[in-house]
Amino acid sequence: MPSVAAQAENLVKHYGSGPAAVTALGGVNVEIPAGSFTAVMGPSGSGKSTLLHCMAGLDTADSGRVWIGGEEITSMPDRQLTRLRRDRVGFVFQAFNLLPVLSAAGNITLPLDIAGRDPDRAWLASVVETVGLADRLSHRPSELSGGQQQRVAIARALVSRPAIIFADEPTGNLDSRTSAEVLDLLRRCVGEFGQTVVMVTHDPVAASCSQRVVFLADGLVVATLDQPTPRAVLDRMRALGEPEARTVGRAPLGSE
């Protein structure tokens, strides 16, 4: 496994043109170590979701380079990039993005079904056990709680053993207790499976569950914070002009 799971070099992304143009990324450089849990935070409009989408190959930067697992994706043909996203990148989103006509089991194995690959049964069983869904596999999304749906989404992201998982506000639609459970699950993915997770969040408590926080402002990386606590993250966010930073989750005991 490479020591760097993903890397961005001098990423620039503009939206619009002329006087109305907005610079979402102004030359971002960031490395994501393999086997790490990294949170990305910043004021609204700082470019954090744009960075995640460009690093995940879901959006294209105007200039700069991105690598996933040692492979540069910025110059990949569309078909090759699609295969890489399917096989080596996992996605977890705020809106869950489950197919309502499929059961939980069908949603979990969907990436493998699309690729025409049989699941590794031992790995699938381990993933299902870890996310706590063994008794819900036959249920459709409408029959699951929000937390259970997000667990399905996390299991789907894990099932193909991706090089990296990108999570965009994964607790944004969840209550405090369920948010804490999902964040604990993401930490277990890193600690028990050696997975790499990059999570965009507005919540200082959620960010404190990571090992490192990368702070963006005005399309640039302006600070990093190792071994974050909710208070330290909140102070950094206030220094960046975000006095009302949300604290949705529940702080781990002793984290203050």
Side-chain angles (χ1 to χ4, degrees), residues 204 229-239 242-247:
T229 65
R231 175 55 57 189
V233 174
L234 187 58
D235 288 344
R236 291 291 183 97
M237 289 296 292
R238 284 173 173 162
E242 190 88 340
E244 301 301 325
R246 292 187 287 122
T247 53

Side-chain angles (χ1 to χ4, degrees), residues 39-230:
V40 180
M41 295 194 75
S44 298
S46 61
K48 52 190 179 296
S49 288
T50 300
L51 175 62
L52 183 142
H53 291 166
C54 288
M55 291 191 72
L58 297 174
D59 198 359
T60 303
D62 295 327
S63 62
R65 305 167 75 188
V66 174
W67 292 264
I68 290 180
E71 290 190 69
E72 185 179 353
I73 69 170
T74 35
S75 57
M76 274 187 180
D78 288 345
R79 183 171 295 181
Q80 185 179 356
L81 179 59
T82 297
R83 286 198 298 268
L84 182 140
R85 284 198 308 257
R86 182 191 67 200
D87 297 336
R88 305 192 62 189
V89 180
F91 302 101
V92 182
F93 298 108
Q94 180 176 345
F96 313 140
N97 290 355
L98 304 180
L99 292 185
V101 298
L102 295 180
S103 65
N107 271 287
I108 291 171
T109 60
L110 183 61
L112 298 177
D113 295 338
I114 292 174
R117 292 161 47 195
D118 292 327
D120 178 329
R121 293 296 173 183
W123 173 249
L124 177 59
S126 179
V127 168
V128 169
E129 180 182 1
T130 299
V131 299
L133 289 171
D135 60 345
R136 292 290 186 269
L137 291 179
S138 63
H139 291 63
R140 293 187 179 184
S142 61
E143 301 170 312
L144 302 174
S145 68
Q148 289 169 339
Q149 290 184 62
Q150 194 61 290
R151 287 171 180 270
V152 172
I154 293 171
R156 180 181 59 190
L158 283 168
V159 73
S160 60
R161 296 178 187 255
I164 189 166
I165 292 175
F166 292 98
D168 195 357
E169 297 282 3
T171 61
N173 284 336
L174 305 176
D175 60 47
S176 297
R177 189 182 74 174
T178 307
S179 294
E181 292 172 352
V182 167
L183 291 166
D184 181 64
L185 177 55
L186 290 174
R187 285 196 295 189
R188 290 178 61 194
C189 291
V190 175
E192 296 178 19
F193 293 155
Q195 189 53 254
T196 305
V197 175
V198 180
M199 175 181 69
V200 165
T201 182
H202 282 91
D203 180 4
V205 172
S208 74
C209 293
S210 71
Q211 297 162 334
R212 179 181 66 143
V213 183
V214 175
F215 295 91
L216 269 66
D218 299 322
L220 292 171
V221 175
V222 295
T224 61
L225 179 64
D226 293 326
Q227 303 304 318
T229 65

